Amino acid sequence: MNLSKAIIPLIKGDVADDAETLKKFSHDTSIFEIKPALVVSPKDADDVSALVRFVAETKKGGENISLTARCAGTDMSGGPLTNSIVVSFTKYMNRFLGIEKNEAIVEPGMYYRDFEKETLAKSGSILASYPASRELCALGGMIADNAGGELTLRYGKTDKFVKELDVVLSDGSKATMRALTKSELEKKKAEKSLEGEIYTKMDELLEKNRKAIRAARPNVSKNSAGYALWNVVDEKQNTFDLTKLIVGSQGTLGLVTKAKLELIKPKSRRAMLVVFLSDLGKLPEIVKRVRKFDPESFESYDDHTFKLAAKYGYEFIKNMGLRQAISLAFAFIPEVWMAITGGIPKLVLLAEFAEDTDEEAQKKAHQARETLKDLSVSTQIALGSMEKKYWKIRRESFALLRKHVHGLHAAPFIDDIVVHPDDYPKFLPELATLLSQYDIMHTIAGHIGDANFHIIPLIDLGRPEHRKAVMELTPKVYTLVAKYKGSITGEHGDGIIRTPYLNLMYSTEILKLFAETKNIFDPQNIFNPGKKVGGTIADIEKFMTRPIPVPKPV
């Protein structure tokens, strides 16, 4: 079948299968490359519905085709990659549709950077779950992965802010999903439609397996692994909310065409407490004491990142104005001196306090610092250029690695693990021992307040020993995370890289419920097959074929 000729008459948007387009859509920021058959850019929800109906009918005729949603392509798990049809939302379905009270309405293809400009200009508010890729990512991807970032500690992940989703279901019908009261749920279940059937079957599944689902809920601060079955029913509010399944599902249950997102007004004045830590045994107590003062963010980076900052500090400042560059250059002197004298800490912790006034923010930073005195750790209050320096190191170290380590590429495959803060003293040395078994350069940074670590190794996938390391190290790290009852992904999603390892986190019973959920929403397996359900280790080996490109703003 000529897919392009068949689809063009059905939609108002674009259909592309030229070599340049297919190459562009063959990768995200993961370690994978998969060439799609076709890239479709719908203009509106009607186009999406028509496309889904076409695929549903074509599959009934025996054709093996599917639809994989894609926005900015910054996913690190292989989530938006397919050898079938990519549905790209950034070209047309990228509009800001307005603000109602403290809620913004937006299409999935809008870049977060543009979205934030709109919300700040119109209401002085932001979506607080933005990830580190805030200048590159789009809203649809944030919803697909249930994104989180540096403000998640105080405000929560994307699922907390999603109030309503317009979704095209697997038969091409449209549904608007939000939190429903018990009576509203019963009305939905009575509808003679796929949507009504989904509500009926999901209510039955959740009720029948309530105990097992409740027990399976990961007891960590963040989790994007599997389907969040435990979040659908809110017993305190007495609501039933299927957006809790759509968020974080990586486009496997339906295609989002519009979202209503709650906004917050962040505090404007900030002060940072910096802790230089050489004894990891003190880490749980430090985290516990500092969190009592409600930091807006609590980040960290390791000694590898520290050395990188000392060596390439000029890269952080070369594109700044003269006055700011001079100020920041002087701020890097302590890092350079520590590197020369060998006094490099194992971890640098950054706790930022945000309040309405400078006095309030600085008071909290000083109070938190005082509580650490008996632990004999080196601390500093960072303001102005010093504060900017630490954020520069935390946010941009991975980009420096990509630029300066010749022949190697930042490779996210064990990049998003979460454990309990109390387990730091045992977990981190065991993790270090695992990593030391392989000759791989890496950095570790993360959201220390959430116990969420981002490990980024540098590898050359053309070297057999590095490919072997990916296949061996991944299950070892995830087994270690499972040992401490953690999550293999806090905010990046399962995709190709983690779907085969969900059995390390969840029982066979829960994996069957995930598969049943997928079948309830998408019985023909139209949406993004092989992600969340059905992915194999063979997929990882098959598609792990290329260097990782550095994403660029569009």
Side-chain angles (χ1 to χ4, degrees):
M1 173 185 286
N2 188 317
L3 286 176
S4 182
K5 285 186 177 180
I7 293 172
I8 286 173
L10 303 178
I11 65 171
K12 302 178 288 295
D14 300 342
V15 178
D17 59 2
D18 60 283
E20 183 179 353
T21 298
L22 298 186
K23 181 179 179 180
K24 175 184 175 183
F25 285 85
S26 293
H27 53 74
D28 50 9
T29 59
S30 69
I31 61 174
F32 304 111
E33 181 175 30
I34 306 177
K35 183 180 177 180
L38 200 68
V39 176
V40 179
S41 298
K43 281 199 171 179
D44 54 27
D46 289 338
D47 271 5
V48 178
S49 291
L51 184 60
V52 173
R53 284 195 297 271
F54 166 78
V55 172
E57 287 301 314
T58 304
K59 287 205 75 160
K60 289 177 183 177
E63 292 284 340
N64 184 24
I65 61 173
S66 62
L67 298 172
T68 294
R70 181 184 174 113
C71 290
T74 57
D75 187 279
M76 300 171 79
S77 73
L81 302 184
T82 180
N83 57 14
S84 193
I85 302 172
V86 169
V87 186
S88 177
F89 289 95
T90 51
K91 187 172 185 178
Y92 296 120
M93 296 185 67
N94 56 17
R95 295 177 299 160
F96 186 88
L97 302 175
I99 291 181
E100 299 175 356
K101 297 181 180 178
N102 66 329
E103 295 175 342
I105 303 170
V106 64
E107 291 180 322
M110 189 173 200
Y111 285 93
Y112 176 82
R113 61 179 185 266
D114 299 325
F115 175 79
E116 187 174 279
K117 288 176 185 175
E118 292 277 0
T119 59
L120 282 173
K122 291 179 168 62
S123 68
S125 303
I126 64 169
L127 176 62
S129 62
Y130 64 79
S133 58
R134 62 190 293 182
E135 294 299 316
L136 302 168
C137 70
L139 274 299
M142 290 177 62
I143 292 167
D145 284 336
N146 193 11
E150 62 198 39
L151 299 186
T152 294
L153 180 66
R154 177 178 283 187
Y155 298 110
K157 290 175 62 183
T158 299
D159 61 333
K160 182 178 177 181
F161 300 99
V162 171
K163 298 304 171 186
E164 191 172 282
L165 293 174
D166 282 7
V167 181
V168 174
L169 302 175
S170 62
D171 65 347
S173 62
K174 301 173 186 176
T176 298
M177 295 181 175
R178 58 179 177 81
L180 302 179
T181 63
K182 191 171 183 179
S183 61
E184 289 172 330
L185 172 61
E186 293 306 314
K187 289 180 181 177
K188 280 289 182 187
K189 289 163 61 177
E191 293 180 8
K192 303 300 181 182
S193 63
L194 177 58
E195 183 184 6
E197 184 179 317
I198 288 171
Y199 274 103
T200 299
K201 290 183 176 180
M202 286 307 305
D203 185 33
E204 181 181 341
L205 181 148
L206 295 171
E207 180 60 31
K208 181 179 177 181
N209 301 281
R210 181 192 301 182
K211 186 176 180 180
I213 290 170
R214 186 177 294 166
R217 181 175 191 157
N219 186 26
V220 288
S221 58
K222 289 178 175 178
N223 178 59
S224 285
Y227 293 123
L229 298 172
W230 36 82
N231 287 340
V232 175
V233 177
D234 186 331
E235 294 180 354
K236 291 183 180 178
Q237 300 295 324
N238 199 23
T239 57
F240 189 97
D241 187 359
L242 288 182
T243 69
K244 301 300 184 183
L245 284 183
I246 300 297
V247 176
S249 67
Q250 295 193 298
T252 59
L253 303 180
L255 299 183
V256 174
T257 58
K258 188 169 67 176
K260 182 180 286 188
L261 306 169
E262 184 179 2
L263 306 174
I264 63 103
K265 290 187 177 181
K267 305 290 186 179
S268 59
R269 316 308 293 179
R270 289 175 169 78
M272 179 181 285
L273 169 65
V274 185
V275 182
F276 304 95
L277 186 62
S278 296
D279 180 1
L280 295 179
K282 297 176 181 179
L283 187 56
E285 188 61 25
I286 291 172
V287 171
K288 188 182 300 182
R289 294 185 190 187
V290 171
R291 284 200 59 174
K292 287 181 179 179
F293 296 93
D294 188 30
E296 182 182 64
S297 57
F298 198 177
E299 302 290 291
S300 68
Y301 56 85
D302 68 348
D303 50 351
H304 300 289
T305 310
F306 191 98
K307 292 173 186 175
L308 192 73
K311 187 174 182 179
Y312 297 116
Y314 69 91
E315 289 282 357
F316 290 122
I317 62 179
K318 68 179 183 180
N319 295 322
M320 297 180 173
L322 180 61
R323 181 179 298 179
Q324 190 177 5
I326 292 173
S327 174
L328 201 58
F330 278 104
F332 271 96
I333 291 175
E335 276 71 24
V336 176
W337 180 248
M338 283 187 185
I340 293 171
T341 60
I344 296 174
K346 289 182 179 179
L347 279 179
V348 178
L349 314 182
L350 315 176
E352 187 166 64
F353 300 89
E355 301 299 334
D356 292 321
T357 67
D358 288 328
E359 291 75 17
E360 288 176 297
Q362 292 177 30
K363 180 181 178 181
K364 282 195 169 185
H366 282 285
Q367 287 176 329
R369 187 185 195 184
E370 281 294 313
T371 66
L372 303 181
K373 275 191 171 182
D374 65 308
L375 296 178
S376 300
V377 292
S378 178
T379 60
Q380 178 184 20
I381 300 296
L383 307 171
S385 61
M386 295 294 287
E387 187 176 14
K388 291 176 183 176
K389 171 191 72 173
Y390 287 114
W391 273 123
K392 278 280 183 183
I393 296 171
R394 168 65 181 90
R395 290 168 176 160
E396 298 185 23
S397 60
F398 299 158
L400 285 184
L401 280 171
R402 292 185 179 107
K403 290 178 183 177
H404 290 286
V405 184
H406 181 68
L408 300 178
H409 303 272
F413 62 94
I414 47 173
D415 51 288
D416 190 35
I417 57 178
V418 186
V419 293
H420 300 266
D422 288 347
D423 292 325
Y424 284 152
K426 293 181 180 179
F427 172 79
L428 290 176
E430 289 186 49
L431 176 64
T433 298
L434 270 182
L435 294 173
S436 69
Q437 295 172 6
Y438 298 86
D439 185 21
I440 295 178
M441 186 184 300
H442 67 277
T443 64
I444 301 177
H447 315 292
I448 200 74
D450 284 318
N452 182 197
F453 292 95
H454 299 311
I455 308 169
I456 305 294
L458 274 84
I459 62 175
D460 176 2
L461 287 171
R463 293 164 59 176
E465 66 271 27
H466 280 189
R467 294 177 66 87
K468 181 181 178 183
V470 171
M471 300 309 300
E472 290 183 359
L473 190 54
T474 300
K476 288 180 181 178
V477 170
Y478 291 160
T479 298
L480 177 63
V481 171
K483 171 184 171 182
Y484 287 99
K485 310 297 183 185
S487 172
I488 62 176
T489 175
E491 54 194 22
H492 292 173
D494 298 315
I496 297 170
I497 195 64
R498 277 178 285 271
T499 294
Y501 298 111
L502 286 173
N503 63 336
L504 297 176
M505 269 189 70
Y506 299 113
S507 68
T508 301
E509 179 183 11
I510 295 301
L511 294 179
K512 286 180 179 178
L513 293 181
F514 290 165
E516 190 175 342
T517 296
K518 168 69 172 172
N519 189 59
I520 288 170
F521 276 85
D522 183 19
Q524 291 192 84
N525 203 19
I526 287 171
F527 297 130
N528 208 10
K531 324 294 169 50
K532 295 288 180 181
V533 171
T536 67
I537 291 173
D539 293 336
I540 298 175
E541 293 182 290
K542 180 179 179 180
F543 298 119
M544 183 176 58
T545 59
R546 61 173 195 87
I548 293 81
V550 180
K552 297 177 181 179
V554 176

